[in-house]
Amino acid sequence: KRRSTDSWPTSPSDHHVLRRADVAARHGPAYMARFGGAILPSHVRALSAITICRTPTLGAHLGVCAQCQQRHLLYHSCRHRACARCGHDATERWLASQRQLLLPVRYFHVVFTLPSELRQLVRTHQRALIGVLFRSAYAALSELAKDPRYLGGRIGALAVLHTWTRTLGYHPHVHMLVPGGALTADGTWRPAPRRRKRYLVPIRALGKLFAGKFLDAAQRALPDGVRIPNVSVGTKWVVFVKPAVQGSDTVLRYLGRYVHKTAIADGAIVACTDHVVTFRYRDSRTHERKTMTLPPHEFLRRFLQHVLPKGLHRVRAFGLLSSAHRTTLRQLQLLLGANAGRDLDAPQKSPPRCPHCRTGTLILICRLTPDACRAILAAQTSLPAQTLSMPARAPPPPSPQRGSAP
């Protein structure tokens, strides 16, 4: 249904949809009051950003439809990675930049997983152990890759940290996109041999090497007096190594989900009351759709544990894919015949569509402060028939430093 001419919608999909912002606004203050100083500063920032995202608190742009002349407030976004409503444009830019670094070779999808006994330790000491997890995983892979029996040279890897399960449990593991080959000492490219039972490097050997490197580095990185929990001898350090048969771009898009998003999508939340929060998830074993109901403080705790402390990065590049070897990578692209015109340009952002007529585009007239947004909303509430005089067309203002129009 079309909205009346005196409405000021933020977007066509902003109404009557439960979001994380609703949970944060409704239960965030009580969560903060209950746990107080025990909450990490990064969690406080995440709750605040999610709550005020695309509200008058961050200001807005005033837009007018070029076709129906309907006016709209386009609220600014918080740009926080924990916000489900932000990150799409940043993800597309990230994907475009990573496509420029692809080599015209087979790629492998590699996953390194920690045993359940170590997950709480990593969660408690994220600053010390997240980097250890990244470095140990790549060190184990690159060490085996240097063996002449496998690749016999230097490799590269794009690594992305993933910490959540489908029920928001803490499960840290690293996904890697690895080119299927290595650069030998004489400067030639040696492609990964095609084997039936073994891909890239032996999986069992990789798991054992990763376990040894992580435990050794973790003990040295932890503060004095903190001991690593005992991991039984028979515990498997799950390592997944398979060719990216669907193409490197498919795996890249899969990794892109975790770069600028956190834990749960808004569409998964089905109910939020004073006492419970209910969300949907897919069971990883049975693949059935299920729902889980949690107390609000437990839902927020599970969600916020996946917000990394300030300064920690979810994405890292190693070896030939690191910025230190960019010249070598470009030379490899020329040597292997990479298509220089393939997906190199970042996607162009289309102008916002009018949610009233759904055909015209919105022209940004001016940028509004939070007080100006509240004044417009107050005037619209008290005088719904009132209209503001404005030019029919005006050039868009410069992009805001903080926040952006959706």
Side-chain angles (χ1 to χ4, degrees), residues 260-387:
H260 294 280
K261 298 290 184 181
T262 300
I264 186 172
D266 278 341
I269 302 175
V270 296
C272 176
T273 69
D274 290 339
H275 306 289
V276 297
V277 177
T278 302
F279 62 94
R280 286 189 296 261
Y281 71 97
R282 186 184 295 274
D283 191 291
S284 58
R285 294 185 178 180
T286 64
H287 303 289
E288 296 178 352
R289 289 279 187 179
K290 298 182 178 180
T291 60
M292 176 173 285
T293 300
L294 298 172
H297 70 272
E298 174 61 15
F299 176 85
L300 290 175
R301 185 198 69 82
R302 290 195 185 192
F303 168 70
L304 290 173
Q305 68 182 342
H306 305 294
V307 177
L308 294 180
K310 186 177 181 180
L312 290 185
H313 299 284
R314 201 180 294 278
V315 183
R316 302 192 186 187
F318 295 95
L320 298 176
L321 300 186
S322 67
S323 58
H325 296 87
R326 196 53 44 86
T327 301
T328 303
L329 180 64
R330 297 301 187 194
Q331 292 172 346
L332 272 175
Q333 289 178 324
L334 293 174
L335 175 66
L336 299 174
N339 185 357
R342 181 189 59 185
D343 293 328
L344 293 186
D345 296 329
Q348 298 296 320
K349 185 176 180 179
S350 59
R353 187 73 62 181
C354 176
H356 177 67
C357 67
R358 302 185 184 278
T359 57
T361 57
L362 294 181
I363 302 171
L364 302 183
I365 300 300
C366 62
R367 186 179 182 181
L368 302 174
T369 64
D371 290 339
C373 292
R374 297 187 186 99
I376 289 177
L377 292 176
Q380 182 242 336
T381 302
S382 58
L383 298 172
Q386 181 182 2
T387 59

Side-chain angles (χ1 to χ4, degrees), residues 98-302:
Q98 293 304 317
R99 289 191 185 105
Q100 298 184 41
L101 307 180
L102 291 177
L103 295 172
V105 299
R106 281 197 309 159
Y107 272 77
F108 289 81
H109 184 194
V110 186
V111 183
F112 293 88
T113 304
L114 292 176
S116 58
E117 295 89 338
L118 300 178
R119 294 171 190 170
Q120 183 60 38
L121 178 71
V122 175
R123 183 183 181 278
T124 306
H125 301 278
Q126 294 182 64
R127 289 194 180 277
L129 297 183
I130 291 296
V132 170
L133 175 58
F134 272 113
R135 293 190 296 271
S136 301
Y138 178 73
L141 182 61
S142 62
E143 184 174 322
L144 284 180
K146 291 178 182 178
D147 192 321
R149 294 176 295 173
Y150 309 123
L151 295 177
R154 291 184 296 155
I155 63 170
L158 177 66
V160 178
L161 176 69
H162 186 196
T163 61
W164 55 88
T165 66
R166 298 183 182 185
T167 57
L168 302 184
Y170 195 77
H171 178 40
H173 55 284
V174 171
H175 291 261
M176 287 188 178
L177 184 62
V178 183
L183 185 64
T184 61
D186 60 1
T188 60
W189 177 259
R190 183 181 178 183
R194 295 180 179 270
R195 297 182 175 92
R196 292 184 179 180
K197 296 183 179 180
R198 187 169 58 198
Y199 298 105
L200 198 63
V201 294
I203 296 178
R204 290 185 179 180
L206 181 60
K208 292 180 179 179
L209 190 57
F210 167 59
K213 289 183 176 295
F214 178 84
L215 291 175
D216 178 65
Q219 190 59 71
R220 289 185 280 107
L222 288 171
D224 295 338
V226 177
R227 307 301 300 176
I228 297 178
N230 291 327
V231 180
S232 58
V233 178
T235 300
K236 290 185 178 180
W237 292 58
V238 179
V239 175
F240 172 95
V241 183
K242 290 292 179 65
V245 294
Q246 295 179 335
S248 57
D249 192 70
T250 301
V251 179
L252 197 60
R253 280 204 163 272
Y254 175 77
L255 299 182
R257 301 176 189 175
Y258 308 126
V259 175
H260 294 280
K261 298 290 184 181
T262 300
I264 186 172
D266 278 341
I269 302 175
V270 296
C272 176
T273 69
D274 290 339
H275 306 289
V276 297
V277 177
T278 302
F279 62 94
R280 286 189 296 261
Y281 71 97
R282 186 184 295 274
D283 191 291
S284 58
R285 294 185 178 180
T286 64
H287 303 289
E288 296 178 352
R289 289 279 187 179
K290 298 182 178 180
T291 60
M292 176 173 285
T293 300
L294 298 172
H297 70 272
E298 174 61 15
F299 176 85
L300 290 175
R301 185 198 69 82
R302 290 195 185 192

